[in-house]
Amino acid sequence: DAGVIQSPRHEVTEMGQEVTLRCKPISGHDYLFWYRQTMMRGLELLIYFNNNVPIDDSGMPEDRFSAKMPNASFSTLKIQPSEPRDSAVYFCASSLELRLADYNEQFFGPGTRLTVL
Amino acid sequence: QKEVEQNSGPLSVPEGAIASLNCTYSDRVSQSFFWYRQYSGKSPELIMSIYSNGDKEDGRFTAQLNKASQYVSLLIRDSQPSDSATYLCAVYTGGFKTIFGAGTRLFVKA
């Protein structure tokens, strides 16, 4: 299994530019999560989807951030316009449907390191 | 108060010693607890999960949970330099939301 795939691995852009991060979850997984990790704030959940439907986007910091999941094998996180404080590592993770008294282990992708100048 | 708190470290232990990592959480309805390991520049990976009070052992790793004290810990026996990483405590409170601590950096000296 290829695992969770993210692209690009590194992105350097200038303030005000649009940034699009991409994620392909593990085939068959029902849930997809977008996280942001910084030294100051740690790993923060931005949004998650179940069967392609956004369930909780309360972690999305501002209207500049948006996420979509047009099908079961693809999701995007877009920042428009980008700002230097958006610099972070963005992780995508996926998991199977939660069963009673079980935990849906989240499998993380390699992350996208975003630098906004 | 943060929902999941960890000492950021670094925690430095000699090779072969026991490393003890601690975590406290604020939500009493938290259901499940996890430890993820993250090597520098890599993504987090799950190493331990615990759901009930007490100890759970897996190889050199032991997770300990005390729900009354809202405390969870991870012990690493016979620490190896390859254990040097950041360890993230994670708490599942339902609604498919997992809250992560900021992590404790562990350094095992050879």
Side-chain angles (χ1 to χ4, degrees), chain B residues 57-72:
Chain B
E57 186 175 317
D58 184 1
R60 295 186 297 111
F61 299 96
T62 299
Q64 299 174 318
L65 174 61
N66 183 326
K67 290 188 177 181
S69 300
Q70 297 176 240
Y71 176 90
V72 59

Side-chain angles (χ1 to χ4, degrees), chain A residues 45-57:
Chain A
L45 176 65
L46 300 177
I47 184 173
Y48 75 89
F49 296 82
N50 177 216
N51 292 323
N52 313 338
V53 176
I55 303 301
D56 185 344
D57 65 354

Side-chain angles (χ1 to χ4, degrees), chain A residues 69-88:
Chain A
M69 192 165 186
N71 57 62
S73 59
F74 183 66
S75 177
T76 60
L77 177 67
K78 184 177 295 186
I79 308 173
Q80 168 62 19
S82 59
E83 297 183 1
R85 59 194 169 117
D86 301 331
S87 298

Side-chain angles (χ1 to χ4, degrees), chain A residues 28-100:
Chain A
H29 280 193
D30 305 284
Y31 287 83
L32 183 140
F33 307 82
W34 282 101
Y35 290 90
R36 177 174 67 177
Q37 187 175 41
T38 62
M39 289 292 291
M40 291 297 294
R41 301 176 67 90
L43 193 63
E44 302 174 282
L45 176 65
L46 300 177
I47 184 173
Y48 75 89
F49 296 82
N50 177 216
N51 292 323
N52 313 338
V53 176
I55 303 301
D56 185 344
D57 65 354
S58 59
M60 296 285 263
E62 299 174 33
D63 291 344
R64 299 184 296 106
F65 286 70
S66 62
K68 295 181 180 179
M69 192 165 186
N71 57 62
S73 59
F74 183 66
S75 177
T76 60
L77 177 67
K78 184 177 295 186
I79 308 173
Q80 168 62 19
S82 59
E83 297 183 1
R85 59 194 169 117
D86 301 331
S87 298
V89 180
Y90 291 81
F91 287 104
C92 175
S94 70
S95 68
L96 287 167
E97 178 72 34
L98 179 67
R99 299 186 300 275
L100 183 65

Side-chain angles (χ1 to χ4, degrees), chain B residues 39-56:
Chain B
Y39 291 113
S40 180
K42 302 296 184 181
S43 56
E45 58 177 334
L46 181 67
I47 57 171
M48 287 287 287
S49 60
I50 186 166
Y51 310 102
S52 304
N53 281 328
D55 295 359
K56 178 182 178 182

Side-chain angles (χ1 to χ4, degrees), chain B residues 6-22 35-40 47 60-61 74-88 102-110:
Chain B
Q6 297 181 253
N7 188 319
S8 63
L11 174 65
S12 183
V13 300
E15 183 175 0
I18 295 175
S20 178
L21 307 168
N22 305 314
W35 286 97
Y36 281 76
R37 178 177 61 200
Q38 186 175 23
Y39 291 113
S40 180
I47 57 171
R60 295 186 297 111
F61 299 96
L74 178 70
L75 301 178
I76 306 175
R77 291 181 300 281
D78 189 24
S79 296
Q80 302 297 310
S82 59
D83 295 325
S84 298
T86 295
Y87 290 81
L88 306 175
T104 298
R105 288 178 295 151
L106 173 65
F107 179 62
V108 181
K109 298 175 292 184

